[in-house]
Short mmCIF file of all heavy atoms in Angstrom, two decimals:
data_model
loop_
_atom_site.label_atom_id
_atom_site.label_comp_id
_atom_site.label_asym_id
_atom_site.label_seq_id
_atom_site.Cartn_x
_atom_site.Cartn_y
_atom_site.Cartn_z
N ASN H 14 1.90 1.21 0.80
CA ASN H 14 2.79 2.39 0.90
C ASN H 14 3.47 2.64 -0.48
O ASN H 14 3.75 3.80 -0.81
CB ASN H 14 3.76 2.24 2.03
CG ASN H 14 3.10 2.34 3.36
OD1 ASN H 14 2.12 3.07 3.53
ND2 ASN H 14 3.54 1.62 4.37
N PHE H 16 2.21 2.03 -3.46
CA PHE H 16 1.20 2.67 -4.30
C PHE H 16 1.00 4.13 -3.92
O PHE H 16 0.91 5.03 -4.75
CB PHE H 16 -0.15 1.94 -4.24
CG PHE H 16 -0.20 0.68 -5.08
CD1 PHE H 16 -0.22 -0.57 -4.48
CD2 PHE H 16 -0.12 0.74 -6.46
CE1 PHE H 16 -0.22 -1.72 -5.20
CE2 PHE H 16 -0.15 -0.44 -7.20
CZ PHE H 16 -0.16 -1.65 -6.59
N VAL H 27 -12.20 -3.27 4.35
CA VAL H 27 -11.74 -3.87 5.61
C VAL H 27 -12.86 -4.51 6.41
O VAL H 27 -14.05 -4.26 6.13
CB VAL H 27 -10.98 -2.82 6.49
CG1 VAL H 27 -9.73 -2.26 5.72
CG2 VAL H 27 -11.91 -1.75 6.92
N GLU H 36 -13.43 -10.12 16.35
CA GLU H 36 -14.54 -10.70 15.55
C GLU H 36 -14.12 -11.01 14.14
O GLU H 36 -13.40 -11.98 13.99
CB GLU H 36 -15.75 -9.79 15.66
CG GLU H 36 -16.31 -9.64 17.07
CD GLU H 36 -17.59 -8.89 17.17
OE1 GLU H 36 -18.47 -9.07 16.27
OE2 GLU H 36 -17.76 -8.11 18.11
N ARG H 39 -8.46 -9.51 11.89
CA ARG H 39 -7.29 -10.20 12.41
C ARG H 39 -6.63 -9.30 13.46
O ARG H 39 -6.39 -8.10 13.24
CB ARG H 39 -6.28 -10.46 11.30
CG ARG H 39 -6.76 -11.43 10.28
CD ARG H 39 -5.69 -11.71 9.28
NE ARG H 39 -6.14 -12.67 8.27
CZ ARG H 39 -5.48 -13.07 7.29
NH1 ARG H 39 -4.21 -12.62 7.06
NH2 ARG H 39 -5.95 -13.93 6.43
N SER H 43 -3.55 -3.47 12.83
CA SER H 43 -3.89 -2.08 12.85
C SER H 43 -2.91 -1.28 12.00
O SER H 43 -3.32 -0.31 11.32
CB SER H 43 -3.90 -1.50 14.29
OG SER H 43 -2.63 -1.67 14.87
N MET H 51 -8.14 5.52 2.78
CA MET H 51 -9.55 5.44 3.16
C MET H 51 -9.88 3.99 3.56
O MET H 51 -9.36 3.06 2.93
CB MET H 51 -10.48 5.83 1.98
CG MET H 51 -11.95 5.58 2.24
SD MET H 51 -13.02 6.11 0.82
CE MET H 51 -13.33 7.77 1.18
N MET H 56 -20.37 -4.12 5.87
CA MET H 56 -21.46 -4.18 6.82
C MET H 56 -22.51 -5.24 6.45
O MET H 56 -23.44 -5.40 7.23
CB MET H 56 -22.13 -2.80 6.92
CG MET H 56 -21.23 -1.69 7.52
SD MET H 56 -20.69 -2.11 9.20
CE MET H 56 -22.27 -2.19 10.04
N ASP H 62 -32.11 -4.41 11.24
CA ASP H 62 -33.24 -3.62 11.69
C ASP H 62 -32.75 -2.26 12.19
O ASP H 62 -31.55 -1.99 12.23
CB ASP H 62 -34.07 -4.28 12.79
CG ASP H 62 -33.20 -4.69 14.01
OD1 ASP H 62 -32.14 -4.09 14.23
OD2 ASP H 62 -33.60 -5.64 14.73
N ASN H 74 -19.59 3.19 14.42
CA ASN H 74 -19.36 4.24 13.39
C ASN H 74 -18.70 5.50 14.03
O ASN H 74 -17.80 6.06 13.42
CB ASN H 74 -20.63 4.62 12.63
CG ASN H 74 -21.24 3.43 11.93
OD1 ASN H 74 -22.43 3.17 12.08
ND2 ASN H 74 -20.44 2.70 11.16
N ASP H 82 -10.33 10.21 11.88
CA ASP H 82 -9.97 11.61 11.93
C ASP H 82 -8.63 11.86 12.60
O ASP H 82 -7.79 12.61 12.10
CB ASP H 82 -11.04 12.38 12.74
CG ASP H 82 -12.38 12.56 11.97
OD1 ASP H 82 -12.39 12.35 10.76
OD2 ASP H 82 -13.34 12.93 12.66
N HIS H 103 -38.10 -3.17 5.38
CA HIS H 103 -39.06 -2.25 6.00
C HIS H 103 -39.34 -1.05 5.12
O HIS H 103 -39.27 0.07 5.59
CB HIS H 103 -38.68 -1.84 7.46
CG HIS H 103 -38.40 -3.03 8.28
ND1 HIS H 103 -39.40 -3.80 8.77
CD2 HIS H 103 -37.22 -3.61 8.68
CE1 HIS H 103 -38.85 -4.79 9.48
NE2 HIS H 103 -37.57 -4.72 9.45
N GLY H 105 -37.68 0.68 3.05
CA GLY H 105 -36.71 1.76 2.99
C GLY H 105 -36.25 2.37 4.33
O GLY H 105 -35.29 3.10 4.36
N LEU H 107 -34.80 0.99 6.93
CA LEU H 107 -33.51 0.54 7.35
C LEU H 107 -32.39 1.29 6.59
O LEU H 107 -31.44 1.82 7.18
CB LEU H 107 -33.30 -0.97 7.14
CG LEU H 107 -31.92 -1.55 7.47
CD1 LEU H 107 -31.52 -1.27 8.87
CD2 LEU H 107 -31.90 -2.99 7.10
N PHE H 112 -28.33 6.13 6.09
CA PHE H 112 -27.98 7.39 5.48
C PHE H 112 -27.96 8.51 6.52
O PHE H 112 -27.04 9.29 6.65
CB PHE H 112 -28.95 7.79 4.35
CG PHE H 112 -28.74 7.09 3.03
CD1 PHE H 112 -29.75 6.40 2.42
CD2 PHE H 112 -27.51 7.17 2.40
CE1 PHE H 112 -29.58 5.82 1.19
CE2 PHE H 112 -27.30 6.57 1.16
CZ PHE H 112 -28.33 5.89 0.57
N THR H 116 -24.52 10.22 7.84
CA THR H 116 -24.33 11.65 7.55
C THR H 116 -24.04 12.41 8.85
O THR H 116 -23.18 13.32 8.87
CB THR H 116 -25.62 12.18 6.87
OG1 THR H 116 -25.78 11.46 5.63
CG2 THR H 116 -25.49 13.68 6.61
N PHE H 128 -25.56 -3.05 -5.79
CA PHE H 128 -26.43 -2.67 -6.88
C PHE H 128 -27.28 -3.81 -7.42
O PHE H 128 -28.48 -3.73 -7.57
CB PHE H 128 -25.60 -2.06 -8.06
CG PHE H 128 -26.48 -1.71 -9.21
CD1 PHE H 128 -27.33 -0.60 -9.19
CD2 PHE H 128 -26.50 -2.48 -10.34
CE1 PHE H 128 -28.18 -0.29 -10.21
CE2 PHE H 128 -27.29 -2.15 -11.43
CZ PHE H 128 -28.17 -1.07 -11.38
N GLY H 134 -30.31 -11.02 -2.33
CA GLY H 134 -31.53 -10.30 -1.89
C GLY H 134 -31.27 -8.93 -1.37
O GLY H 134 -32.09 -8.34 -0.72
N ASN H 135 -30.05 -8.35 -1.55
CA ASN H 135 -29.75 -7.02 -1.03
C ASN H 135 -29.47 -5.98 -2.15
O ASN H 135 -28.77 -5.02 -1.94
CB ASN H 135 -28.64 -7.05 -0.04
CG ASN H 135 -27.30 -7.47 -0.67
OD1 ASN H 135 -27.18 -7.77 -1.82
ND2 ASN H 135 -26.27 -7.53 0.15
N ALA H 141 -38.80 -6.73 -8.48
CA ALA H 141 -40.21 -7.02 -8.64
C ALA H 141 -40.99 -6.24 -7.59
O ALA H 141 -40.71 -6.26 -6.42
CB ALA H 141 -40.46 -8.53 -8.42
N ARG H 154 -38.90 -12.93 -2.84
CA ARG H 154 -39.86 -11.92 -2.30
C ARG H 154 -39.83 -10.67 -3.11
O ARG H 154 -38.85 -10.31 -3.72
CB ARG H 154 -39.53 -11.61 -0.81
CG ARG H 154 -39.59 -12.85 0.05
CD ARG H 154 -39.20 -12.54 1.41
NE ARG H 154 -40.38 -12.23 2.21
CZ ARG H 154 -40.38 -12.10 3.49
NH1 ARG H 154 -39.24 -12.15 4.13
NH2 ARG H 154 -41.48 -11.87 4.12
N SER H 164 -42.46 1.10 -5.89
CA SER H 164 -42.14 1.02 -7.33
C SER H 164 -40.85 0.25 -7.47
O SER H 164 -40.00 0.21 -6.63
CB SER H 164 -42.10 2.39 -7.94
OG SER H 164 -41.03 3.16 -7.37
N TYR H 168 -35.52 1.72 -4.53
CA TYR H 168 -34.27 1.81 -3.82
C TYR H 168 -33.21 2.60 -4.60
O TYR H 168 -32.32 3.18 -4.00
CB TYR H 168 -33.75 0.38 -3.45
CG TYR H 168 -34.54 -0.11 -2.28
CD1 TYR H 168 -35.73 -0.77 -2.46
CD2 TYR H 168 -34.12 0.18 -1.01
CE1 TYR H 168 -36.47 -1.19 -1.33
CE2 TYR H 168 -34.84 -0.23 0.15
CZ TYR H 168 -36.05 -0.90 -0.06
OH TYR H 168 -36.78 -1.27 1.01
N ARG H 170 -34.16 5.40 -6.15
CA ARG H 170 -34.57 6.78 -5.83
C ARG H 170 -34.18 7.05 -4.33
O ARG H 170 -33.77 8.19 -4.02
CB ARG H 170 -36.12 6.90 -6.00
CG ARG H 170 -36.52 6.88 -7.44
CD ARG H 170 -38.02 7.23 -7.63
NE ARG H 170 -38.90 6.21 -7.08
CZ ARG H 170 -39.66 6.36 -5.99
NH1 ARG H 170 -39.64 7.48 -5.37
NH2 ARG H 170 -40.43 5.36 -5.57
N LEU H 171 -34.33 6.06 -3.45
CA LEU H 171 -33.92 6.24 -2.06
C LEU H 171 -32.42 6.55 -1.96
O LEU H 171 -31.99 7.41 -1.24
CB LEU H 171 -34.25 5.00 -1.30
CG LEU H 171 -34.08 5.06 0.21
CD1 LEU H 171 -35.08 6.01 0.84
CD2 LEU H 171 -34.31 3.68 0.81
N HIS H 173 -30.60 7.95 -4.31
CA HIS H 173 -30.42 9.31 -4.80
C HIS H 173 -30.72 10.32 -3.70
O HIS H 173 -29.90 11.25 -3.43
CB HIS H 173 -31.38 9.56 -5.99
CG HIS H 173 -31.40 10.94 -6.43
ND1 HIS H 173 -30.38 11.53 -7.20
CD2 HIS H 173 -32.34 11.94 -6.22
CE1 HIS H 173 -30.73 12.84 -7.47
NE2 HIS H 173 -31.87 13.07 -6.87
N ASP H 174 -31.83 10.13 -3.00
CA ASP H 174 -32.19 11.12 -1.90
C ASP H 174 -31.23 11.02 -0.77
O ASP H 174 -30.85 12.08 -0.16
CB ASP H 174 -33.62 10.82 -1.43
CG ASP H 174 -34.68 11.23 -2.50
OD1 ASP H 174 -34.32 11.95 -3.46
OD2 ASP H 174 -35.79 10.80 -2.33
N VAL H 185 -30.70 17.29 6.62
CA VAL H 185 -30.41 16.05 7.37
C VAL H 185 -31.69 15.77 8.19
O VAL H 185 -32.08 16.55 9.06
CB VAL H 185 -29.16 16.22 8.32
CG1 VAL H 185 -28.99 14.98 9.12
CG2 VAL H 185 -27.96 16.58 7.50
N PRO H 190 -37.67 10.93 3.09
CA PRO H 190 -38.46 11.75 2.20
C PRO H 190 -38.93 11.06 0.94
O PRO H 190 -39.78 11.61 0.25
CB PRO H 190 -37.50 12.90 1.86
CG PRO H 190 -36.16 12.25 1.89
CD PRO H 190 -36.24 11.18 3.00
#
Side-chain angles (χ1 to χ4, degrees):
N14 289 327
F16 283 110
V27 298
E36 296 186 41
R39 292 183 181 179
S43 63
M51 175 181 269
M56 293 301 298
D62 57 23
N74 301 130
D82 286 347
H103 305 286
L107 175 62
F112 280 126
T116 298
F128 178 72
N135 64 0
R154 299 177 96 172
S164 62
Y168 283 88
R170 292 187 295 108
L171 188 67
H173 171 77
D174 290 346
V185 176

